């Protein structure tokens, strides 16, 4: 009886274990199928590089949205990568225990804040700050709803991801290596620069890739502060319209215009494919690094 | 000498940058919490917690967001149960039955990593397709399924990390005493990893309750408290989003208040999981 129960449980769990891979496949298949109708009418490259977005006229060019997504993500990473890495180095190599014990829960809490709350905060604080202070400083006119605001809000949202992974990476660098470097007369920073960062480089790249894929698909918070104008942004102070925002803003009307729903599902498919590519890339980097370390 | 002082300057410059960065990270949390709470004070009333929107609520008249609070709790609660039912067997199988290097483990762990990175708006679009295929309309059930799918990788990865740490000798001892693998899994591994498992469940719940993009397509929105799985349900993130889009200042202020309520719920869940994990840790073997 007990053996039978064990056998049944084993079979059931074995089947369940296939679930995550199945979800990935179903997601790909479902989105591919739903974006079929628009791919049957327009070529993939004309969709990717088209600049006109007029669903009522059957014109679907994704370039402004791709550019918006890239712009906001790039801006976020320019801010988030140095800040997160410096924080991670400080917490792992310099900070006294007390600081570490206080900071780590703060980072966890930051990771838990819902994205819509980031959006509300962005509207209340970042948008006016960028519109009234930063843009005039650079001699630009901006409503504040722009790429820079989106980038700032996104950067704060990906801090926890990058810091968390980097801390793990730095923690895995052996203490002996550090001691050797210090014993040879290197300063602490030199030890960090030549030993910890060099050793941890593959892990740092993986952390950044994770951060990018997180930033790439963030929807609500960005949508609230980025302006949503379907034009390729020319400067950080221009409004942009990232892909996720496009999907979220138009779900209501997509069923009433021909091919519109298919176009939005294609947008979701593009997001999924990019995240998949990043995931595979990060995995390859980490596996290579492990082989090298062995 | 000049070389030495240059090295020392570089050291201090970077130290300042590092402390500055850490300060930026910490103060951004304080700034967000501070801003949202201060801005919400003028509109934050108890009536917001205990009333549904009345006629003219979205023009600044009486009412509250009970519909969204309960809707979110139901939705995230159901989604979390669904995610636990899907994640726990996977994690137990990976750690107690499958060999660590088997293709199944590699593929499953990789699929979980990928799913973890999939944006919530893609879950929303996928949930929409699933909903259409099953013949459902935007409803509490469709929202639970979508958010449940979103929670699975978050929960499973966090559980995997703690179940993996259960000491091998403990499991071997259980087997040596004649327990089947299932008994070992449920009575030894799960019990030993319980604090971490509970943390994983609550982290996933927190993410589920705060996510807006996935429920946008699938849960719909309504002014009444949901009474059926097949009816639309309001959610807090969408309530915040819609109220903020209003041109009426009173309604915008309520969006801030709703954001404060959502933040407090998420923070409470996060603190509760810490406390719970700390208490349960007493019952584990070290």
């Amino acid at each position: 009886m007990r053996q039978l129960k064990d056998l049944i449980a084993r079979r059931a769990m074995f089947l369940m274990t296939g679930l995550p891979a199945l979800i990935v496949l179903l997601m790909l298949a479902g989105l591919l199928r739903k974006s079929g109708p628009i791919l049957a009418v327009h070529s993939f490259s004309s969709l990717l590089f088209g600049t006109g977005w007029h669903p009522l006229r059957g014109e679907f060019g994704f370039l402004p949205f791709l550019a918006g997504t890239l712009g906001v993500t790039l801006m976020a990473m320019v801010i988030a990568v140095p800040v997160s890495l410096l924080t991670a180095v400080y917490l792992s190599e310099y900070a006294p225990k007390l600081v570490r014990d206080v900071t780590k829960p703060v980072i966890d809490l930051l990771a838990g804040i819902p994205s819509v709350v980031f959006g509300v905060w962005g509207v209340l604080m970042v948008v006016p700050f960028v519109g009234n202070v930063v843009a005039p400083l650079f001699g630009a006119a901006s409503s504040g709803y722009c790429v820079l605001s989106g980038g700032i809000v996104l950067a704060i949202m990906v801090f926890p991801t990058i810091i968390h992974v980097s801390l793990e990476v730095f923690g895995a660098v052996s203490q002996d290596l550090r001691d050797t470097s210090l014993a040879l007369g290197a300063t602490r920073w030199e030890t960090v620069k030549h030993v910890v960062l060099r050793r941890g480089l593959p892990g740092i790249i993986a952390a950044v890739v994770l951060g990018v894929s997180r930033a790439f698909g963030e929807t609500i918070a960005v949508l609230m502060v980025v302006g949503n104008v379907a034009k390729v942004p020319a400067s950080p102070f221009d409004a942009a319209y990232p892909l996720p925002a496009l999907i979220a803003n138009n779900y209501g009307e997509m069923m009433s215009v021909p091919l519109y729903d298919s176009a939005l599902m294609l947008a979701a498919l593009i997001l999924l494919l990019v995240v998949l590519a990043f995931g595979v890339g990060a995995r390859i980097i980490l596996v290579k690094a492990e082989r090298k370390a062995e | 000498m000049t070389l030495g002082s240059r090295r020392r300057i570089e050291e201090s410059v970077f130290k300042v940058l590092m402390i500055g960065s850490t300060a930026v990270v910490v103060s951004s949390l304080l700034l967000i919490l501070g801003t949202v709470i201060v801005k919400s004070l003028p509109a934050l009333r108890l009536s917001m917690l205990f009333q549904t929107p009345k006629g003219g609520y979205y023009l600044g008249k009486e009412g509250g967001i009970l519909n969204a609070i309960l809707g979110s709790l139901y939705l995230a609660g159901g989604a979390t149960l669904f995610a636990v039912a899907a994640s726990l067997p996977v994690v137990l199988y990976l750690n107690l039955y499958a060999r660590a290097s088997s293709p199944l483990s590699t593929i499953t762990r990789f699929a979980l990593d990928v799913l973890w990175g999939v944006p919530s708006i893609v879950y929303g679009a996928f949930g929409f397709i699933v909903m259409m295929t099953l013949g459902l309309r935007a409803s509490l059930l469709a929202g639970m399924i979508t958010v449940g799918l979103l929670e699975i990788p978050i929960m499973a990865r966090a559980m995997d990390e703690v179940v993996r740490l259960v000491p091998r000798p403990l499991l071997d001892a259980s087997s040596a005493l004649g327990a089947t693998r299932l008994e070992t899994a449920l009575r030894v591994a799960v019990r030993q990893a319980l604090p971490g498992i509970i943390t994983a469940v609550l982290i996933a719940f927190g993410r589920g309750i705060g996510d807006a993009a996935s429920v946008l397509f699938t849960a719909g929105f309504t002014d009444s408290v949901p009474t059926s799985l097949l009816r639309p349900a309001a959610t807090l993130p969408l309530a915040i989003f819609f109220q903020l889009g209003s041109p009426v200042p009173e309604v915008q202020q309520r969006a801030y208040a709703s954001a404060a309520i959502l933040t407090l719920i998420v923070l409470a869940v996060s603190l509760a999981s810490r406390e719970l994990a700390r208490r349960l840790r007493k019952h584990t073997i070290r």
Side-chain angles (χ1 to χ4, degrees):
Chain A
M1 187 61 206
R2 285 168 61 218
Q3 296 295 340
L4 185 70
K5 241 187 182 169
D6 188 52
L7 191 72
I8 295 171
R10 186 195 183 109
R11 290 277 153 80
M13 285 199 230
F14 174 74
L15 288 179
M16 293 288 287
T17 305
L19 193 68
L22 185 70
I23 297 175
V24 174
L25 291 180
L26 281 180
M27 235 178 219
L28 272 172
L31 290 174
L32 202 59
R33 216 180 92 92
K34 289 285 173 181
S35 37
I38 194 165
L39 289 170
V41 183
H42 302 282
S43 74
F44 191 53
S45 61
S46 76
L47 288 169
L48 277 192
F49 299 111
T51 50
W53 183 262
H54 307 286
L56 287 172
R57 280 191 260 147
E59 211 181 312
F60 298 98
F62 280 109
L63 191 65
F65 307 101
L66 291 171
T69 297
L70 286 181
V72 173
T73 306
L74 198 69
M75 182 58 73
M77 295 327 274
V78 166
I79 302 168
V81 171
V83 173
S84 308
L85 287 183
L86 286 166
T87 303
V89 170
Y90 180 68
L91 291 181
S92 133
E93 311 294 322
Y94 287 80
K97 194 173 174 305
L98 182 70
V99 175
R100 223 175 300 171
D101 289 348
V102 173
T103 313
K104 280 187 180 167
V106 165
I107 294 169
D108 288 346
L109 288 182
L110 191 62
I113 303 259
S115 60
V116 70
V117 175
F118 277 100
V120 168
W121 175 71
V123 170
L124 284 173
M125 218 165 176
V126 180
V127 168
F129 176 69
V130 169
N132 303 331
V133 181
V134 183
L137 215 62
F138 286 87
S142 173
S143 63
Y145 290 92
C146 62
V147 173
L148 180 62
S149 304
I152 293 175
V153 170
L154 257 188
I156 297 174
M157 294 180 77
V158 300
F159 282 162
T161 306
I162 305 183
I163 293 174
H164 219 256
V165 181
S166 312
L167 276 179
E168 266 173 40
V169 170
F170 297 153
V173 176
S174 84
Q175 189 59 42
D176 287 355
L177 283 175
R178 288 192 188 92
D179 293 344
T180 312
S181 165
L182 290 172
L184 286 171
T187 62
R188 254 191 194 202
W189 168 247
E190 283 167 339
T191 304
V192 167
K193 195 164 63 172
H194 296 301
V195 177
V196 180
L197 290 183
R198 182 164 298 176
R199 269 276 148 156
L201 190 62
I204 294 172
I205 295 174
V208 172
V209 170
L210 275 180
V212 171
S213 67
R214 193 93 266 195
F216 201 79
E218 175 47 46
T219 310
I220 291 287
V222 180
L223 173 151
M224 289 163 84
V225 299
V226 84
N228 301 325
V229 176
K231 255 176 65 182
V232 176
S235 94
F237 300 110
D238 284 350
Y241 204 159
L243 270 182
L246 170 75
I247 306 174
N249 270 337
N250 296 295
Y251 75 102
E253 52 204 276
M254 72 180 185
M255 299 313 277
S256 49
V257 181
L259 288 183
Y260 207 167
D261 60 329
S262 187
L264 295 187
M265 290 301 162
L266 179 62
L269 180 64
I270 294 174
L271 287 177
L272 179 61
L273 288 176
V274 171
V275 166
L276 210 63
F278 279 145
V280 173
R283 173 55 59 106
I284 291 173
I285 295 169
L286 283 177
V287 168
K288 267 194 183 160
E290 266 170 36
R291 288 230 182 98
K292 217 171 163 188
E294 272 163 16
Chain B
M1 182 62 210
T2 47
L3 189 68
S5 64
R6 237 182 71 189
R7 288 170 66 195
R8 221 162 294 143
I9 287 170
E10 192 180 325
E11 173 89 30
S12 22
V13 165
F14 273 94
K15 197 160 178 192
V16 168
L17 284 177
M18 280 185 259
I19 294 175
S21 296
T22 310
V24 166
V25 173
V26 172
S27 57
S28 53
L29 177 78
L30 300 179
L31 215 56
I32 291 168
L33 293 183
T35 312
V36 170
I37 287 169
V38 167
K39 282 281 185 178
S40 72
L41 286 179
L44 205 54
R45 299 219 165 66
L46 272 182
S47 64
M48 272 197 78
L49 293 176
F50 298 115
Q51 288 179 2
T52 54
K54 302 240 166 72
Y57 174 77
Y58 296 103
L59 298 169
K61 298 250 175 64
E62 285 292 290
I65 50 162
L66 182 68
N67 58 329
I69 296 176
L70 284 181
S72 266
L73 289 174
Y74 292 165
L75 198 150
T80 305
L81 287 181
F82 169 50
V84 172
S87 307
L88 196 57
V90 173
V91 172
L92 291 180
Y93 192 86
L94 284 180
N95 288 290
L96 295 163
Y97 289 85
R99 272 174 298 113
S101 56
S102 75
L104 181 68
S105 322
T106 316
I107 292 172
T108 303
R109 289 214 168 91
F110 179 62
L112 286 173
D113 284 355
V114 168
L115 286 176
W116 184 85
V118 169
S120 63
I121 189 82
V122 175
Y123 281 99
F126 178 62
F128 184 74
I129 296 176
V130 171
M131 190 176 99
M132 298 303 246
T133 316
L134 296 179
L136 286 171
R137 282 184 310 150
S139 58
L140 186 57
L141 181 63
M144 278 178 185
I145 295 174
T146 311
V147 175
L149 289 174
L150 173 106
E151 287 185 14
I152 287 174
I154 301 166
M155 196 185 282
R157 280 169 41 117
M159 283 183 179
D160 191 27
E161 263 173 42
V162 288
V163 176
R164 198 186 290 193
L165 294 181
V166 175
R168 196 80 232 173
L170 202 62
L171 303 177
D172 293 342
S174 164
S175 306
L177 288 170
T180 63
R181 284 219 207 177
L182 180 65
E183 288 160 351
T184 308
L186 296 179
R187 304 217 183 123
V188 180
V190 169
R191 186 165 298 177
Q192 176 72 13
L194 199 60
I197 289 177
I198 294 207
T199 311
V201 171
L202 288 175
I203 287 176
F205 177 84
R207 284 290 280 283
I209 204 169
D211 197 73
S214 58
V215 291
L216 200 55
F217 297 100
T218 51
F221 201 83
T222 165
D223 279 352
S224 53
V225 172
T227 49
S228 151
L229 279 175
L230 298 174
R231 299 275 288 282
T235 44
L236 268 175
L238 293 187
I240 296 166
F241 185 57
F242 293 148
Q243 292 179 98
L244 196 70
S246 156
V248 184
E250 286 87 355
V251 180
Q252 283 183 7
Q253 280 193 340
R254 284 186 192 148
Y256 310 147
S258 313
I261 292 170
L262 176 61
T263 310
L264 290 179
I265 293 178
V266 170
L267 289 186
V269 169
S270 164
L271 293 177
S273 81
R274 258 161 217 284
E275 181 58 25
L276 216 58
R278 202 179 58 81
R279 285 204 193 161
L280 286 170
R281 209 159 284 144
K282 278 187 216 142
H283 306 296
T284 60
I285 299 164
R286 253 160 291 201

